[in-house]
């Protein structure tokens, strides 16, 4: 907490907790949130879409809670969990809103630290991150969920490399937002990744605090294959731009690769050597086109063109060195045509290439990130002085 003179008012906060059949967690949620915010003005706002008696449990416990507890029950859960969060932001009594899940995997004890970080004045959104120093995602059930979570995070950051450059965990459901910097009407919630909506559709400054993601005590995860598909569709709606251009150039490169390989094999070149030559030609061609049409808005803040080319060329050759033996395996073991095998391997390689180029090759230089952080601090100090 920053230094405050005696009697200075501490800004209040609304803790928004969307719930769906979380009756067994309500008592612990109210108790732990109330204890974490015992020295602050605030409220707990449950936005409930439950089909069980969760609303009755909330009402009963609210009567004896040590801080204000409100219930907003939705008969029609439009927008799913994300829609519940937007409704909570609209209905909150305070401008500082903190969103957390109702399954106790988000530790309420982190609430004061999130508010303290916000009160430093240089951030509009404070994200509780599993992926910065001190954070932990151990509460995810099993290696598969961990892998899916990390992959989704990387894909999302790759599709929005500028907007999400300051967010290591844009997929978390635990965050603080100053609603004065967000237009709820501009949000299009669909499923459970509302923070991504806020970061992409709003011009906000981001800060992070580490979070140890806890284990679920009661209830079942809302994540499912259907939710995953909805998330991918939503991600495509949010950003069907940079990745689509990368895909078009990749498709052109893949076609050129196949044409070159076809021509060389018909000239008598052995198919493995034909694949190597085709790969080298298209690697250079793809880099030129990506520079011009895909990542042109990121070049000024990224490393020099020589470094970018070296990174891209090296990565693509390593990728080709892995891909071509797999291609050979498909041809020799599965007895499919070399052209079809090449096509399959190129499609699989596309996503890996996009992630690497967006997150590594065109990442802002460290000096640029430091300069931006310094600019934000100066703006905050100037605003405070005024």
């Amino acid at each position: 907490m920053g230094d405050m003179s005696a009697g200075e008012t501490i800004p209040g906060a609304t803790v928004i907790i969307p719930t769906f059949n979380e009756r067994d967690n309500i008592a612990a949620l109210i108790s732990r949130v109330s204890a974490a915010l015992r020295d602050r003005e605030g409220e707990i706002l449950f936005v409930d879409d439950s089909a069980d008696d969760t609303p009755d449990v909330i009402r009963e416990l609210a009567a004896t809670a040590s801080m204000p507890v409100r219930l907003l029950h939705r008969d029609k859960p439009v927008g799913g969990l994300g829609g519940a969060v937007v409704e909570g932001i609209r209905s909150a009594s305070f401008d500082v809103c903190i969103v957390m899940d109702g399954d106790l995997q988000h530790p309420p004890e982190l609430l004061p630290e999130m508010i303290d970080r916000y009160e430093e004045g240089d951030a509009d959104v404070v994200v509780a991150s599993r992926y910065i120093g001190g954070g932990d995602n151990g509460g995810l059930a099993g290696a598969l969920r961990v892998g899916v979570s990390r992959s989704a995070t990387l894909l999302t950051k790759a599709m929005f490399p500028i907007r999400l450059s300051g967010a290591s965990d844009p997929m978390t459901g635990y965050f603080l937002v100053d609603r004065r910097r967000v237009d709820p009407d501009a949000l299009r919630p669909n499923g459970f990744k509302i923070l991504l909506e806020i970061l992409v559709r709003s011009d906000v400054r981001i800060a992070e605090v580490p979070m140890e993601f806890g284990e679920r005590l009661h209830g079942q995860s809302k994540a499912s294959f259907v939710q995953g598909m909805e998330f991918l569709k939503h991600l495509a709606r949010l950003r069907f731009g940079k990745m689509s251009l990368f895909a078009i150039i990749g498709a052109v490169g893949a076609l050129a690769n196949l044409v070159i390989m076809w021509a060389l094999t018909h000239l008598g070149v052995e198919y493995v050597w034909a694949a190597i030559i085709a790969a080298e030609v298209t690697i250079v061609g793809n880099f030129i086109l990506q520079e011009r049409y895909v990542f042109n808005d990121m070049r000024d803040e990224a490393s020099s063109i020589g470094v970018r080319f070296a990174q891209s060329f090296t990565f693509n050759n390593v990728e080709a060195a892995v891909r071509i033996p797999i291609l050979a395996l498909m041809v020799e073991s599965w007895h499919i045509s070399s052209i079809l095998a090449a096509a399959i391997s190129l499609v699989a390689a596309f996503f890996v290439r996009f992630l690497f180029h967006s997150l590594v090759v065109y990442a802002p230089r460290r000096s640029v990130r430091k300069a931006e952080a310094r600019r934000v601090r100066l703006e905050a100090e100037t605003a405070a002085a005024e």
Side-chain angles (χ1 to χ4, degrees):
M1 185 83 180
D3 294 331
M4 287 191 172
S5 59
E8 186 173 350
T9 301
I10 301 175
T14 295
V15 179
I16 300 170
I17 307 178
T19 49
F20 179 77
N21 297 348
E22 302 281 4
R23 66 179 312 281
D24 294 329
N25 295 325
I26 301 303
L29 277 166
I30 292 176
S31 175
R32 290 172 64 181
V33 171
S34 299
L37 299 181
R38 60 184 176 275
D39 297 326
R40 297 175 181 272
E41 185 180 5
E43 66 170 350
I44 302 173
L45 174 59
F46 287 99
V47 185
D48 183 70
D49 296 337
S50 297
D52 64 2
D53 63 344
T54 297
D56 296 330
V57 173
I58 293 172
R59 293 187 187 99
E60 180 181 349
L61 292 171
T64 58
S66 60
M67 70 181 297
V69 176
R70 292 197 290 132
L71 170 65
L72 174 61
H73 180 72
R74 304 195 307 164
D75 293 322
K76 295 182 179 180
V78 178
L81 188 147
V85 171
V86 173
E87 287 298 315
I89 291 173
R90 286 196 177 103
S91 303
S93 300
F94 299 94
D95 289 323
V96 175
C97 300
I98 306 175
V99 179
M100 64 184 300
D101 287 351
D103 54 17
L104 291 170
Q105 290 187 285
H106 295 156
E109 291 73 23
L110 191 60
L111 289 167
E113 184 177 347
M114 296 172 72
I115 297 174
D116 289 348
R117 182 63 187 86
Y118 167 75
E119 289 175 350
E120 291 181 22
D122 62 348
D124 309 304
V125 173
V126 178
V127 177
S129 173
R130 297 163 287 183
Y131 303 125
I132 60 173
D136 177 37
N137 64 355
L140 288 173
L144 179 60
R145 262 199 85 190
V146 172
V148 169
S149 175
R150 278 306 259 161
S151 298
T153 298
L154 289 172
L155 177 61
T156 302
K157 285 177 64 64
M159 294 184 78
F160 300 95
I162 295 176
R163 284 283 190 180
L164 303 182
S165 62
S168 66
D169 195 1
M171 312 296 285
T172 184
Y174 197 7
F175 61 92
L176 176 154
V177 59
D178 183 340
R179 69 174 176 184
R180 292 169 295 186
R181 298 300 306 273
V182 175
D183 179 8
D185 294 332
L187 302 177
R188 300 291 182 270
N190 180 24
F192 53 93
K193 300 303 179 187
I194 187 61
L195 175 61
L196 177 62
E197 272 277 325
I198 291 172
L199 297 182
V200 169
R201 297 190 187 276
S202 309
D203 184 17
V204 292
R205 300 166 299 171
I206 306 168
E208 295 185 318
V209 297
M211 170 182 65
E212 293 186 8
F213 193 64
E215 295 185 3
R216 177 181 294 274
L217 299 181
H218 302 286
Q220 295 181 339
S221 172
K222 310 304 185 292
S224 65
F225 177 78
V226 173
Q227 286 277 21
M229 292 300 98
E230 286 297 320
F231 163 67
L232 290 177
K233 288 194 295 183
H234 187 51
L235 193 59
R237 284 193 290 266
L238 280 171
R239 166 68 87 188
F240 202 74
K242 197 173 290 294
M243 191 175 184
S244 64
L245 289 172
F246 191 90
I248 291 170
I249 290 173
V252 171
L255 180 61
N257 187 303
L258 297 176
V259 169
I260 294 169
M261 186 175 171
W262 174 85
L264 291 174
T265 54
H266 276 69
L267 290 174
V269 179
E270 202 270 333
Y271 74 86
V272 172
W273 283 108
I276 292 172
I277 295 170
E280 295 302 313
V281 172
T282 53
I283 283 171
V284 175
N286 281 0
F287 176 79
I288 294 171
L289 293 175
Q290 290 160 12
E291 281 275 307
R292 175 64 179 84
Y293 295 108
V294 182
F295 300 107
N296 57 307
D297 61 332
M298 299 171 65
R299 292 179 303 184
D300 291 343
E301 296 183 352
S303 301
S304 67
I305 187 170
V307 172
R308 297 198 300 271
F309 178 77
Q311 290 175 327
S312 178
F313 188 78
T314 301
F315 176 82
N316 281 297
N317 273 283
V318 170
E319 177 271 318
V322 173
R323 179 173 55 83
I324 290 174
I326 295 176
L327 181 154
L329 179 65
M330 288 190 289
V331 172
E332 301 297 338
S333 300
W334 298 355
H335 306 294
I336 63 178
S337 75
S338 59
I339 300 300
L340 177 59
I344 293 172
S345 65
L346 287 170
V347 170
F350 161 74
F351 291 101
V352 179
R353 289 177 177 174
F354 179 73
L355 288 173
F356 182 82
H357 282 78
S358 186
L359 297 178
V360 178
V361 177
Y362 293 93
R365 298 186 306 277
R366 186 183 300 273
S367 59
V368 172
R369 294 195 296 268
K370 287 184 176 179
E372 176 63 15
R374 189 182 308 114
R375 181 189 65 79
V376 169
R377 286 197 301 271
L378 289 174
E379 286 182 353
E381 291 171 359
T382 301
E386 293 174 350

